[in-house]
Amino acid sequence: MSRIAHRSRFLNLMVDGRLPDDLQSTLTKRDYLERAAAGGFPEARNRPARRRAAWFAVFLIARIPAWSPNLTQREIRAPKVFVTDPGLASHLRDLDIDLALRPELAAGSDGPVIEGFVAMEFARQAAWSDLRPRLSHYRDRDAGEIDLIVEAQGRVAAVEVKAGSGADRSALRTLSRLRDRIGERFSVGVVLHTGPQASRLGDRLYSLPISALVGAVDRTRRRGG
């Protein structure tokens, strides 16, 4: 999953509500974890694993604020904090990819790494997007939580990130509830996952491989292509 020279337009397409539902990716969870663990710092990515661990010495964080649309009085307004480079985050978590791929041993270690990787890719795309989007997250005390909210031009897109191979009922329920609450402002809700298959889940709701976001077009093919 090399960094693509041309700029991915996923964020713009999402705000416009124009996501593909006919992608099939050849990437696996291992591919995403390895890409996250390699990070984005060229100095680290060009080193072997052992020397990469020695290079990481500095803490860089990004705060993603809470989205507060006043849909309920029980909204939580604390920001989410991410390490800006997923390689550094993996190093700090002492990520063992082989263990993370075994559910009985992973103990949830894969989820935060994948979510941070996706969040920082959105932040990267937001920095160059002509839409000038605002990134936030949503959570209320009734267990409603959405990993990322992208707001631009009066429209709202919602993103759930899953380390598993597809969307689960909880993610679909949360996205559907937001769609129904804000109506026409809701452009799209998408579950990004580590599986190969894309699908449409309902009105303005999609399930897509993470490769659709990171622009790995060289390893993603259209069905029947």
Side-chain angles (χ1 to χ4, degrees):
M1 287 175 56
S2 61
R3 184 170 178 174
I4 305 303
H6 61 277
R7 293 177 171 181
S8 173
R9 305 294 292 174
F10 183 90
L11 190 149
N12 289 42
L13 292 172
M14 190 175 66
V15 171
D16 289 341
R18 298 186 291 114
L19 291 182
D21 60 2
D22 60 348
L23 294 177
Q24 187 170 351
S25 176
T26 61
L27 300 180
T28 66
K29 183 187 287 190
R30 177 180 290 277
D31 292 318
Y32 294 117
L33 288 170
E34 287 179 348
R35 174 63 179 83
F41 292 119
E43 295 88 344
R45 292 193 62 184
N46 293 333
R47 293 169 180 244
R50 185 172 298 178
R51 293 186 62 203
R52 185 186 305 139
W55 185 89
F56 285 125
V58 60
F59 291 83
L60 302 172
I61 63 171
R63 290 180 173 87
I64 294 184
W67 187 55
S68 301
N70 296 316
L71 300 178
T72 172
Q73 295 299 314
R74 299 176 62 80
E75 292 170 359
I76 296 174
R77 307 200 175 184
K80 270 188 175 182
V81 178
F82 293 97
V83 177
T84 56
D85 187 86
L88 179 56
S90 300
H91 170 70
L92 294 174
R93 287 181 174 276
D94 196 22
L95 178 71
D96 185 315
I97 293 177
D98 290 326
L99 293 183
L101 291 171
R102 299 176 59 183
E104 73 277 14
L105 299 176
S109 62
D110 53 348
V113 171
I114 295 292
E115 182 184 349
F117 171 56
V118 169
M120 292 302 97
E121 176 62 23
F122 267 102
R124 188 170 72 92
Q125 292 191 26
W128 71 56
S129 172
D130 53 3
L131 297 179
R132 306 185 69 177
R134 293 184 296 277
L135 300 183
S136 54
H137 74 97
Y138 182 76
R139 186 179 178 189
D140 63 40
R141 291 181 176 84
D142 297 319
E145 183 171 4
I146 296 175
D147 294 326
L148 284 170
I149 297 289
V150 181
E151 197 170 10
Q153 298 182 334
R155 309 196 75 193
V156 173
V159 180
E160 278 284 280
V161 182
K162 297 297 179 185
S165 60
D168 57 28
R169 292 182 179 179
S170 175
L172 181 58
R173 183 171 57 249
T174 303
L175 294 174
S176 299
R177 183 168 62 175
L178 179 63
R179 177 199 61 197
D180 296 342
R181 282 181 173 180
I182 67 175
E184 291 302 314
R185 289 184 62 210
F186 186 89
S187 61
V188 73
V190 58
V191 179
L192 293 174
H193 56 77
T194 62
Q197 205 73 26
S199 62
R200 190 163 185 169
L201 304 175
D203 177 28
R204 291 170 284 169
L205 300 177
Y206 295 82
S207 173
L208 293 176
I210 293 171
S211 60
L213 165 68
V214 296
V217 292
D218 55 328
R219 298 180 64 181
T220 304
R221 60 181 174 84
R222 297 274 181 177
R223 291 179 195 158

